[in-house]
């Protein structure tokens, strides 16, 4: 059994398609198919079953995948530790983040860290709340910014870095545009522009509206803060966004207004895997972040 076979197997399992896996691996489709076939022959089982155009894992394939992913993650970590031992300042940090933090927060902290650690590399992965916890739990990334910070979790731990206020955003020609603050119930008859259901910002806004005594009428949904902000600025509705998502300037911007009743906030934290020692360079970055946000 070769390392290459395991790497090809994991890629096909994730993509559910040999052609797409081959494209990402930058090898011929026939090479991937051959290695998978040789792996199945060696194991004496079928790891995949064809369903339409896609390949789906068999039950034993799922079992094998969980083990192989752990092996490859441990191997990658071992190689990284050797590189760090030779030169800790030339290591790589694998970090995840939600889209709402990428505009200002992530570039700022990475730039500040690299002033004293110029040779450290960052491998960045954007994700949702659920996918970031999953990736940290699996060891696919070392650290992740996350919001809201999970109160407790079986596989991850960490610390809250900051608590951020959410503001109401409305079109510039709205009747409330000149207000410095509002009660959330003043928007109860307005159409809302919301994040789609897999995003925690949607849950935060929905809960706030419920506290204010109404269920928002959702007219549009989006997956990025830029989309939400742009639709509101264009007069398509109102919304709530974190302060960090409203720092950009430009000609087409909504009006932001503080919400006083109820005050709406979110926690932003940093998580890592429980009971697993971070790579040295990632641990240095973790400590830097805690000091940075103090």
């Amino acid at each position: 059994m070769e390392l290459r076979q395991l790497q090809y197997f994991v890629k096909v399992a994730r993509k559910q398609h040999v052609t797409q896996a081959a494209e990402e691996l930058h090898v011929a489709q026939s090479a991937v198919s051959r290695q998978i076939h040789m792996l199945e022959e060696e194991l004496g089982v079928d790891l995949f079953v064809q369903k339409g155009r896609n390949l789906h894992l068999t039950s034993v394939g799922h079992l094998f995948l969980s083990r192989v992913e752990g092996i490859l993650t441990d191997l990658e970590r071992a190689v990284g530790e050797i590189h760090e031992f030779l030169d800790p300042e030339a290591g790589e940090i694998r970090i995840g983040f939600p889209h709402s933090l990428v505009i200002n927060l992530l570039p700022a902290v990475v730039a500040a860290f690299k002033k004293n650690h110029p040779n450290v590399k960052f491998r960045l992965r954007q994700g949702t709340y659920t996918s970031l916890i999953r990736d940290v739990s699996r060891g696919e990334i070392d650290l992740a910014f996350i919001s809201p910070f999970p109160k407790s979790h079986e596989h991850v731990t960490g610390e809250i870095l900051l608590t951020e206020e959410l503001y109401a955003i409305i079109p510039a020609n709205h009747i409330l545009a000149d207000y410095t603050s509002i009660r959330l119930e003043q928007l109860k008859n307005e159409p809302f522009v919301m994040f789609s259901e897999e995003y925690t910002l949607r849950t935060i806004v929905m809960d706030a509206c419920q506290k204010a005594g109404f269920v928002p009428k959702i007219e549009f949904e989006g997956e990025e803060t830029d989309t939400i902000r742009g639709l509101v600025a264009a007069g398509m509705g109102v919304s709530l966004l974190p302060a960090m998502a409203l720092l950009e300037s430009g000609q087409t911007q909504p009006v932001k207004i503080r919400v006083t009743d109820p005050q709406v906030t979110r926690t932003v934290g940093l998580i890592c895997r429980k009971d697993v020692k971070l790579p040295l360079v990632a641990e240095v970055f973790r400590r830097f972040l805690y000091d940075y946000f103090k």
Side-chain angles (χ1 to χ4, degrees), residues 5-216:
Q5 292 174 334
L6 301 181
Q7 292 170 331
Y8 286 10
F9 164 70
V10 170
K11 183 63 71 174
V12 172
R14 290 176 178 172
K15 304 303 292 187
Q16 297 185 347
H17 203 285
V18 173
T19 301
Q20 294 177 11
E23 289 175 353
E24 288 201 9
L25 291 164
H26 304 292
V27 298
Q29 178 180 338
S30 59
V32 176
S33 298
R34 183 169 60 255
Q35 293 298 328
I36 295 297
H37 179 68
M38 291 170 62
L39 182 60
E40 289 180 323
E41 280 198 335
E42 183 174 348
L43 293 171
V45 296
D46 290 330
L47 297 172
F48 296 98
V49 59
Q50 187 83 38
K51 290 186 179 180
R53 296 182 178 181
N54 292 339
L55 287 176
H56 291 259
L57 287 168
T58 61
S59 57
V60 71
H62 279 289
L63 175 63
F64 190 59
L65 176 65
S66 65
R67 298 298 188 186
V68 170
E69 285 182 324
I71 291 169
L72 293 180
T73 296
D74 288 342
L75 178 59
E76 185 177 2
R77 182 176 288 113
V79 172
E81 288 175 351
I82 290 173
H83 290 164
E84 289 177 11
F85 179 80
L86 296 174
D87 184 3
E89 287 300 315
E92 180 181 74
I93 301 169
R94 303 172 303 165
I95 188 162
F97 58 92
H99 175 267
S100 60
L101 298 183
V102 72
I103 300 171
N104 291 288
L105 177 65
L106 188 62
V109 295
V110 168
F113 182 77
K114 285 183 74 69
K115 286 181 180 179
N116 293 322
H117 308 274
N119 296 321
V120 172
K121 297 180 178 63
F122 284 84
R123 190 191 305 180
L124 307 177
R125 179 179 295 188
Q126 184 174 316
T128 63
Y129 179 87
T130 302
S131 70
L132 291 171
I133 290 181
R134 179 199 65 207
D135 292 346
V136 170
S137 301
R138 290 178 177 176
E140 294 180 8
I141 53 179
D142 304 310
L143 300 163
F145 291 103
I146 196 162
S147 178
F149 182 78
K151 294 181 180 178
S152 63
H153 194 277
E154 182 181 0
H155 301 298
V156 303
T157 186
E159 187 172 318
I160 294 174
L161 299 177
L162 61 96
T163 299
E164 183 183 24
E165 188 173 359
L166 271 69
Y167 287 81
I169 57 171
I170 62 176
N173 61 355
H174 195 279
I175 192 172
L176 299 175
D178 292 331
Y179 283 53
T180 56
S181 65
I182 61 170
R183 302 183 313 279
L184 188 55
E185 68 173 351
Q186 291 176 259
L187 301 178
K188 66 181 180 181
N189 295 322
E190 301 287 342
F192 269 73
V193 182
M194 285 280 199
F195 282 93
S196 50
E197 292 185 351
E198 64 266 31
Y199 289 86
T200 52
L201 278 173
R202 178 189 178 109
T203 303
I204 292 172
V205 175
M206 294 292 289
D207 289 347
C209 291
Q210 185 176 13
K211 287 181 181 179
F214 70 96
V215 176

